Structure formats: structure tokens, C-alpha cells
Amino acid sequence: MSAIYPNTFEEKIGFDRIRSQVTNLCLCPLGKRKAAEAAFCSDFTIVQRMIAQSDEMKTICQMEDTFPVDGYADTTPFLERIRREGSWLDETEMFTLRKSLDAIKAILTFFKKGEKPKYPHLAELAKDIDYFPFVADRIDAILNRFGKIKDNASPELARIRGEIASKQASVSKRIGSILKAAQAEGLVDSD
């Protein structure tokens, strides 16, 4: 896109206010960032394509009950971080990534319905998006449906949690016997 003269053009025509309003309506930080980066365009082909995409999205918002609207999250910060060797995702980040993968899968499924896409301009926009089921499967092997690490996520974790449960049972049993002895001696009430 070529630069528009003068530099204050977007402000003079109110484009900056529209961009701000659209940014505030976005569901996730990544969408907000993309909307904030939007610039006025004078390329007719690009404008025509964007209008078609906007029309399709407007139709979806007004007519489609099945369009996925949940699970959008900006996973960029922690995905960038884990590129470094020795880094990892905590359980909250893994759970967020899993929900994000579900949202991506739902959107791709929505746009790929039928032989001919109902929303071709948005389907074109989504065609290069990849879904990685093996990542979702791996997360499912580690986290339960509430986003907590499963006892069997690794053999070592299963062993440690087993030891903890055993020690807790032993402590509970010991406290119970101390309490019964104290009750028998009349040191504490039965309730």
C-alpha cells in the first residue's frame, strides 16, 4: 500500500476513530492488535476483498447460530517463549492453548462445511490456517477437562502423587486414633 498524503489523512476522515471502535470490539488481544494495526487502503482490489469479507462476517453474525465465538486466546507470548530450549508451558498456558486449538478447529470446520463454501472470502482467509491434532492429543494426555494435571501425566508424577496420598491417609489414620484416645480419656468432646 502506498503512503497517503497528508500524514493526518486518517485522522481527518475519522478512520482512526473507527479503528479504535473496532479494536475495542475484538474478543482477544491478538485481534485487538491486528485491528489496531489496520491502515487506510487505497488499493481497489484489496478494499473490494475486505468489503466482501466484512459482508460475509456481518451475515454470519446476523444469521449463524453455530459460528464459534468462544475460546479465542492470544497464545503468541507463551508460544514465542517456548521456542527457547529448556522452557515449558505451565498448566494454565497449556489449558489456554488447548481451548485455542478447539476454537481453531471449530472455525475451520465451520468454513469447510459443504462442497462449496458458503462464505468463500472468509474460507479463503482461513485456508492456510493449520490445526495440530497431535498437540491437542498430547495436552489431553497431560491435563484433565478442568485444566489440571492428571495423576498419570508421567510415571514419576503418578508415583509422587501416590506417595502423597499414602502419607495423607497415614496422617489421617494417626490423627483419628489420637482423637479417639483423647475422647476416651475425656479430654475432648465426642463431636
Side-chain angles (χ1 to χ4, degrees):
M1 288 184 269
S2 59
I4 296 176
Y5 180 81
N7 292 340
T8 58
F9 179 77
E10 288 185 357
E11 186 179 322
K12 285 183 178 182
I13 65 166
F15 187 82
D16 60 328
R17 291 189 306 275
I18 293 170
R19 178 179 41 230
S20 177
Q21 289 175 350
V22 170
T23 300
N24 290 334
L25 293 172
C26 291
L27 298 175
C28 75
L30 183 59
K32 288 181 184 295
R33 193 166 57 247
K34 287 284 196 187
E37 292 170 358
F40 187 87
C41 178
S42 60
D43 183 317
F44 182 74
T45 306
I46 294 172
V47 171
Q48 203 171 26
R49 184 182 72 236
M50 290 177 159
I51 288 172
Q53 290 169 346
S54 296
D55 283 344
E56 288 179 359
M57 194 66 218
K58 178 181 163 193
T59 302
I60 289 170
C61 289
Q62 292 174 339
M63 308 297 286
E64 297 283 354
D65 292 333
T66 60
F67 186 75
V69 294
D70 293 327
Y72 298 113
D74 185 2
T75 57
T76 308
F78 53 82
L79 291 178
E80 290 288 332
R81 189 186 75 241
I82 64 167
R83 287 181 159 192
R84 293 187 311 270
E85 192 172 327
S87 59
W88 65 89
L89 298 179
D90 64 31
E91 70 182 352
T92 303
E93 292 168 333
M94 275 198 296
F95 194 56
T96 300
L97 178 59
R98 182 64 178 95
K99 289 190 302 187
S100 183
L101 287 170
D102 284 343
I104 291 168
K105 182 180 179 183
I107 289 170
L108 293 175
T109 301
F110 179 86
F111 285 123
K112 290 180 181 176
K113 283 190 286 191
E115 280 184 40
K116 184 180 175 199
K118 190 174 179 181
Y119 304 103
H121 294 94
L122 291 174
E124 176 69 22
L125 194 62
K127 78 174 170 69
D128 293 329
I129 297 174
D130 291 320
Y131 172 72
F132 301 98
F134 63 91
V135 175
D137 292 345
R138 185 66 184 119
I139 292 171
D140 289 344
I142 296 169
L143 299 181
N144 66 21
R145 63 188 174 107
F146 305 109
K148 300 298 176 196
I149 296 177
K150 293 178 178 179
D151 288 345
N152 63 350
S154 75
E156 182 67 9
L157 181 60
R159 185 190 64 74
I160 291 169
R161 287 192 174 170
E163 283 181 19
I164 290 171
S166 172
K167 300 250 189 246
Q168 286 175 331
S170 175
V171 167
S172 283
K173 187 176 179 182
R174 180 73 176 129
I175 289 174
S177 68
I178 291 171
L179 186 57
K180 280 185 181 180
Q183 288 171 343
E185 293 178 21
L187 298 174
V188 292
D189 291 335
S190 60
D191 59 342

